[in-house]
Amino acid sequence: MKSGVLFLLLAVSSSSAFAEVSSAELIEKARELDGREVELVGEAIGESMRRGDHVWLNLLDGGGAIGIWARQADLPQILFFGSYDARGDALRVRGVFHRSCPEHGGDLDIHATGLEVVARGELKRVTLHAGRMALAAGLLLAAAVAFLLWQARKKSQDRV
């Protein structure tokens, strides 16, 4: 019995030094989490910005976006960054959270010690709806007719 409890305690304590958090938790509990190792899962958005042998990424988890500072060598191949045209790759980032990073001008960020792609993104399929296209064409035609009538009325008033 005692060995079972000891085993359970060891398993729980050694499972992970990283606290899994959301961007909302990072913002709400910034003072408490400052300097702690955290894990954040989210969509890579925008683009990566290279700075020497490091790179900046933005990770969006639905609640907000957090800046990630990582070594270029540790960065997995990201195929898609989230944008209007694409859903970005989902990344799991482990690292040290800074509520006011002295190295980066007081910005809130995570200095990554581990990055992995947990799901690949994809291009978004944009479908054109026939009803909306017909409505747009009808409105364009109505606007053109209204403009032509306005021009004809203006010319007839100028003659008088």
Side-chain angles (χ1 to χ4, degrees):
M1 177 70 175
K2 288 182 183 179
S3 62
V5 172
L6 182 60
F7 177 74
L8 181 62
L9 287 174
L10 285 173
V12 170
S13 66
S14 65
S15 64
S16 177
F18 295 90
E20 189 170 331
V21 295
S22 68
S23 61
E25 287 176 296
L26 289 174
I27 293 166
E28 290 171 9
K29 300 177 182 178
R31 191 174 300 275
E32 177 186 331
L33 294 172
D34 190 30
R36 290 193 48 204
E37 293 179 327
V38 297
E39 178 176 286
L40 178 68
V41 177
E43 175 186 3
I45 60 170
E47 60 186 50
S48 63
M49 297 170 281
R50 292 187 179 142
R51 300 292 183 265
D53 62 345
H54 281 74
V55 64
W56 276 111
L57 299 170
N58 280 311
L59 210 63
L60 176 69
D61 73 345
I66 300 291
I68 308 297
W69 179 248
R71 288 181 346 126
Q72 180 72 33
D74 294 341
L75 189 66
Q77 182 182 11
I78 298 172
L79 300 178
F80 293 100
F81 282 92
S83 67
Y84 177 78
D85 298 334
R87 190 185 82 234
D89 291 352
L91 302 177
R92 174 176 285 113
V93 175
R94 293 178 186 95
V96 179
F97 172 70
H98 299 277
R99 76 178 175 105
S100 180
C101 181
E103 186 179 344
H104 298 114
D107 288 341
L108 182 142
D109 65 18
I110 296 174
H111 288 217
T113 56
L115 294 127
E116 67 177 298
V117 175
V118 293
R120 289 291 179 192
E122 63 185 357
L123 291 176
K124 293 179 183 173
R125 301 193 196 296
V126 179
T127 57
L128 299 177
H129 300 279
R132 290 181 184 170
M133 294 295 287
L135 177 62
L139 290 172
L140 181 62
L141 180 62
V145 168
F147 177 75
L148 291 174
L149 290 173
W150 176 71
Q151 286 290 333
R153 183 173 176 209
K154 186 177 175 184
K155 283 184 182 180
S156 69
Q157 286 178 350
D158 288 346
R159 289 185 195 159
V160 174

